[in-house]
Structures are given as C-alpha cells and as structure tokens.
C-alpha cells in the first residue's frame, strides 16, 4: 500500500468525508463544524492532491459550472479502511458526540436515523421499522 501521511484528525476526517463524493470546500466547512477546528485550504488541498497522485482519490466534474468533487477510488477505499482501523480510537473521539445506538437492534447510528417518543422519552432508532418493533 502506497504511503501518505495521515498524521492528524483533520486529515483522517477528510478521509471519512471522502466516502461520499464531496467538494473540497465542504470538507473544510464540515471539519470546522464537526470538529471545531480550522482546516485551512492550504492543509486540505495538498492532501487531496497527494491522495489523487497516489490514485486513492479521483475528481469528478459535476453541475453546469464544472465544479469539482472528490471521491475515493477502490484502492482509496482500502487505504481509508486501513487508516480508520489504525486510528479507530481517534475516530471514536471524533464521532462520539453524534453517535447514537438504535434502541431496538443496537446498531450504531452515524447519521440520520429515526427518533420517536416512547412513553414520554425520546428514543433513537436506525429506522422506522425498528421503532415499530420496539413499541410492540
Ligand atoms: Zn435498529
């Protein structure tokens, strides 16, 4: 596996965001929002460029104004998985505030999910059918 240094949480978070196609500025904005850290363009774009040079990231043009989005390639996905495993505890730290567990099946809800009031208390579920099964 080719090497690129993922030596801080900002880079790791950028890798996480690349699971879906994403604009460079969205990476910067989301890191600011979710991590409360300033990720400068001078930090993110060279990192994206490096990933691109290694074949881990490819650029797609979308929309009428040819805006660029970044997306992981197959080998980029493998690389990102390896990094996520390596930095598992850091990732946990990054997502723990947002992480909820489905009250019915116990799976972890990373985004979205479904909440409902059950006997006066708000419960979180991964999906409406888990909520339905829980109420029974
Ligand atoms: Zn569930």
């Amino acid at each position: 596996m080719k090497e690129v240094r993922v030596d801080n949480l900002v880079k790791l978070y950028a890798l996480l965001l690349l699971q879906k196609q994403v604009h460079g500025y969205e990476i910067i904005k989301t890191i600011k929002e979710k991590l409360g850290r300033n990720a400068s363009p001078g930090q993110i774009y060279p990192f994206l460029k490096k990933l691109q040079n290694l074949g881990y990231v490819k650029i797609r043009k979308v929309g009428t104004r040819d805006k660029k989005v970044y997306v992981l390639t197959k080998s980029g996905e493998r690389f990102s998985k390896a990094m996520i495993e390596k930095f598992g505890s850091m990732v946990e730290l990054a997502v723990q505030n947002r992480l909820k567990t489905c009250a019915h099946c116990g799976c972890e809800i990373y985004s979205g999910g479904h909440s409902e009031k059950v006997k006066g208390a708000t419960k979180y579920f991964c999906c409406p059918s888990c909520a339905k099964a829980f109420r029974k």
Side-chain angles (χ1 to χ4, degrees):
M1 195 174 286
K2 291 178 221 159
E3 271 308 315
V4 53
R5 280 163 63 96
V6 180
D7 50 9
N8 63 46
L9 203 51
V10 166
K11 287 180 184 173
L12 188 68
Y13 207 87
L15 268 183
L16 290 178
L17 293 173
L18 285 164
Q19 310 287 326
K20 285 191 255 178
Q21 62 174 34
V22 65
H23 291 285
Y25 70 84
E26 284 178 321
I27 295 177
I28 293 164
K29 193 172 144 251
T30 308
I31 287 172
K32 203 177 251 182
E33 282 171 9
K34 303 292 184 198
L35 297 184
R37 290 189 189 199
N38 280 321
S40 70
Q43 190 178 11
I44 295 300
Y45 287 104
F47 179 60
L48 290 172
K49 187 78 195 161
K50 181 99 199 237
L51 291 173
Q52 197 192 335
N53 290 341
L54 291 170
Y56 292 154
V57 157
K58 62 185 176 220
I59 290 177
R60 271 196 206 134
K61 289 191 173 164
V62 291
T64 47
R65 285 191 294 161
D66 265 3
K67 283 201 169 169
K68 289 192 288 186
V69 294
Y70 296 87
V71 64
L72 287 178
T73 62
K74 279 272 167 269
S75 62
E77 280 169 21
R78 280 196 297 276
F79 173 74
S80 129
K81 256 198 201 111
M83 283 300 134
I84 288 162
E85 275 164 29
K86 193 170 161 189
F87 290 97
S89 57
M90 281 170 74
V91 176
E92 244 167 64
L93 203 71
V95 298
Q96 70 183 3
N97 292 332
R98 307 198 297 138
L99 197 64
K100 295 186 177 75
T101 307
C102 176
H104 179 67
C105 71
C107 74
E108 289 171 338
I109 307 159
Y110 287 90
S111 67
H114 176 80
S115 69
E116 246 179 58
K117 281 216 183 257
V118 181
K119 290 172 190 160
T122 305
K123 299 275 185 193
Y124 295 94
F125 303 96
C126 60
C127 61
S129 47
C130 267
K132 198 174 165 194
F134 184 82
R135 283 196 309 269
K136 275 183 189 165

